Structure formats: C-alpha cells, structure tokens
C-alpha cells in the first residue's frame, strides 16, 4: 500500500547523504586506497597472482578494519577480513574464505600494504576484487579500490610482438623517409652551393669586367666636365 508518506523517506535519505557527503568532503581526502595503476590484471590458470592494495592516511590509524570482497556476475563474497591495531603492528586476519588466499605485505613502517596472494588460480576466479579500508580514527571513514582479475589460458604475448613488429616497421619506414629527405636536402644544398659558387665566379668576373672596362672609361669621360 504505497502512500504519499512513503515517498518522503527516499528523498530525506538523499538529502541526508548529500549533506553527509558535503560534511565528509574535506575529510575524505585523507584516507586513500590504491590498487596500483592497472585496472585489469591477467593471470594464467594454475598459477598465482598478487592483488595489490595499499592505503594511506595522514591522520594515522587505530584498529583499522580492512577487507577484500569479490564480485562477479553471479557471486558476491567477502574473501578476507581483518584489523590492524596501529601503525606498529601487522594485520590480523579474522576471517578467510579460501585456503588459496593469503595476506601479503605489511602494515609496519608505513608500508600500509594489505595485498593478497591468490594461488592455484581457476577460471572461476575471474571477477572484480575490491580492497576496503575503514578507519575508526577518521569517523569510520571507508574507502575502497577495485581491480579486475581475468584468468586466462595463456598470456597473449603474440599480440605484443605483433605490435612491436608493426612499430619497428613504421619506425623503420619513417626513419627511411627522414633519411631520404635529409639526403635530398643535402644534395640540393650541394647543388645550390656549387651553383652559387659558379654564380659568384660569374658575378665577380663580370664585376672585374666593369671596373676594368667601364669605370675607368667613364671616369676619364667625367673628368673633363668637372674641371670646366
Ligand atoms: C589451464 O587450463 C587449460 C584448459 O582447461 C588446461 O589445459 C591447462 O592445463 C591449465 N593450466 C594449468 C597450469 O593448470
Ligand atoms: C557487483 O557488481 C555489479 C555490476 O557488475 C553491481 O551492480 C553490484 O552492485 C555489485 N555488488 C556489490 C555487492 O557490490
Ligand atoms: C606489498 O607487498 C607485496 C608482498 O610483500 C609486495 O610484492 C608488493 O610489492 C608490495 N606493494 C607495495 C606497493 O609496496
């Protein structure tokens, strides 16, 4: 029985979330969670893969809670759950979903590393892995970062070599073109220089001709009128 009164609730929640968001905005910049640059990583079935996760907090932390969750099209589960007492202690695992998972890294010495290692990879391990961190010292602020794992038959290195070959060929062609252009320019330069030399010779010889034949002659002709 939906009434007008029910509609108020979601709106109020939206408003509340909005206000909370505004309130948390300056604070939320302090707790950061990172899974590195790669958004998708590929791993071969049967092998192992490290899912990286580090966090940072400029306020420091105490009894920090962390967990990794898994999400694919049909499954959602918490893989590992634990706490870190403070900056001088290593994480304590309280729950682990699978024996193939181990927590790697350390939270001592500002490493803040809560990466997990997944062993004996199966194709069904493909999915999105999210690393969550909640800091009681920062109003139980929670942050997370997600990395996608793709378990494959074999890593396709052929694509890389093909790309490399294409790049090499393109690079070679461009290099050749530049070389040809340079040679052309050089030849043109040489031709121009030799022509200029020839011209210079022509100009100087004609100039000599002028001074030897024309100028003395004109001077001789000009002298008499200036004396008059
Ligand atoms: C990966 O899966 C393929 C296909 O199911 C299988 O042939 C291969 O042996 C597996 N590799 C490993 C290392 O388990
Ligand atoms: C799992 O991922 C789907 C999208 O692929 C998303 O709609 C859903 O909310 C996620 N579940 C959880 C619990 O995060
Ligand atoms: C986190 O710890 C793992 C395991 O010791 C290591 O391989 C990885 O490089 C560390 N990550 C960072 C960002 O230090």
């Amino acid at each position: 029985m939906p009434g007008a009164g029910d509609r108020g609730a979601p709106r109020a929640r939206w408003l509340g979330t909005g206000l909370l968001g505004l309130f948390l905005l300056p604070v939320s910049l302090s707790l950061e969670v990172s899974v590195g640059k790669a958004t998708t990583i590929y791993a071969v079935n049967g092998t192992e893969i490290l899912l990286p996760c580090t966090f940072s907090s400029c306020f420091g932390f105490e009894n920090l809670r962390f967990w990794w969750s898994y999400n694919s099209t049909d499954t959602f589960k918490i893989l590992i759950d634990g706490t870190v007492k403070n900056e001088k202690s290593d994480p304590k695992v309280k729950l682990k979903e699978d024996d193939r998972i181990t927590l790697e890294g350390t939270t001592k010495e500002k490493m803040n590393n809560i990466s997990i290692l997944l062993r004996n990879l199966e194709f069904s391990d493909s999915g999105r892995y999210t690393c969550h961190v909640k800091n009681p010292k920062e109003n139980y602020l929670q942050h997370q970062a997600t990395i996608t794992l793709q378990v494959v038959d074999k890593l396709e290195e052929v694509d890389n070599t093909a790309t490399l070959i294409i790049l090499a060929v393109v690079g070679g062609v461009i290099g050749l073109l530049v070389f040809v252009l340079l040679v052309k320019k050089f030849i043109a330069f040489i031709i121009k220089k030799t022509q200029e030399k020839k011209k210079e010779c022509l100009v100087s010889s004609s100039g000599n001709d002028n001074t030897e034949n024309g100028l003395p002659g004109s001077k001789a002709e000009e002298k008499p009128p200036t004396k008059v």
Side-chain angles (χ1 to χ4, degrees), residues 50 54 104-106 111 113 115:
L50 183 88
T54 54
E104 302 284 316
T106 172
M111 294 299 283
N113 186 338
S115 306

Side-chain angles (χ1 to χ4, degrees), residues 45-56:
N45 60 320
T47 64
E48 58 181 34
I49 188 78
L50 183 88
L51 298 176
C53 180
T54 54
F55 64 89
S56 65

Side-chain angles (χ1 to χ4, degrees), residues 174-216:
I174 289 174
L176 199 68
L177 276 177
V178 169
F179 181 71
V180 166
L181 279 178
L182 280 178
V183 167
K184 250 183 157 177
K185 259 207 163 152
F186 184 67
I187 290 173
F189 177 77
I190 298 276
I191 289 173
K192 208 175 154 199
K193 272 280 144 148
T194 44
Q195 273 175 353
E196 262 173 15
K197 256 200 184 142
K198 267 188 201 156
K199 254 188 212 162
E200 261 173 35
C201 297
L202 285 173
V203 167
S204 60
S205 62
S206 65
N208 283 347
D209 282 347
N210 279 346
T211 44
E212 271 169 20
N213 300 330
L215 277 177

Side-chain angles (χ1 to χ4, degrees), residues 22-215:
L22 275 181
F23 175 70
L24 287 177
L25 200 59
V27 187
S28 62
L29 295 170
S30 59
L31 183 67
E32 308 238 350
V33 179
S34 164
V35 288
K37 278 181 198 146
T39 50
T40 302
I41 47 177
Y42 297 87
V44 177
N45 60 320
T47 64
E48 58 181 34
I49 188 78
L50 183 88
L51 298 176
C53 180
T54 54
F55 64 89
S56 65
S57 167
C58 47
F59 287 122
F61 60 85
E62 225 176 80
N63 296 321
L64 177 121
R65 192 179 152 225
F66 69 89
W67 67 103
W68 275 90
S69 65
Y70 169 80
N71 187 6
S72 67
T73 42
D74 52 1
T75 329
F76 177 84
K77 56 189 177 185
I78 303 289
L79 299 175
I80 195 164
D81 194 333
T83 53
V84 191
K85 193 150 183 266
N86 54 45
E87 275 125 327
K88 293 192 187 81
S89 51
D90 262 332
K92 240 192 215 140
V93 173
K94 300 210 161 138
L95 177 150
K96 203 162 71 168
E97 189 264 342
D98 198 321
D99 279 345
R100 299 182 298 133
I101 302 168
T102 47
L103 188 69
E104 302 284 316
T106 172
T107 44
K108 281 179 181 163
E109 284 156 7
K110 298 213 166 95
M111 294 299 283
N112 295 355
N113 186 338
I114 45 170
S115 306
I116 55 172
L117 187 72
L118 268 170
R119 275 172 290 132
N120 300 326
L121 285 172
E122 294 158 11
F123 291 113
S124 58
D125 290 328
S126 293
R128 299 189 305 139
Y129 290 78
T130 307
C131 169
H132 309 251
V133 172
K134 200 178 205 173
N135 191 4
K137 213 170 173 177
E138 289 179 72
N139 276 327
Y140 289 91
L141 191 65
Q142 190 209 311
H143 269 248
Q144 64 209 49
T146 300
I147 193 160
T148 302
L149 174 67
Q150 199 77 42
V151 180
V152 292
D153 243 353
K154 56 181 180 218
L155 295 177
E156 282 172 31
E157 281 161 38
V158 185
D159 271 3
N160 275 343
T161 43
T163 315
L164 275 182
I165 288 170
I166 289 169
L167 278 180
V169 168
V170 169
V173 168
I174 289 174
L176 199 68
L177 276 177
V178 169
F179 181 71
V180 166
L181 279 178
L182 280 178
V183 167
K184 250 183 157 177
K185 259 207 163 152
F186 184 67
I187 290 173
F189 177 77
I190 298 276
I191 289 173
K192 208 175 154 199
K193 272 280 144 148
T194 44
Q195 273 175 353
E196 262 173 15
K197 256 200 184 142
K198 267 188 201 156
K199 254 188 212 162
E200 261 173 35
C201 297
L202 285 173
V203 167
S204 60
S205 62
S206 65
N208 283 347
D209 282 347
N210 279 346
T211 44
E212 271 169 20
N213 300 330
L215 277 177

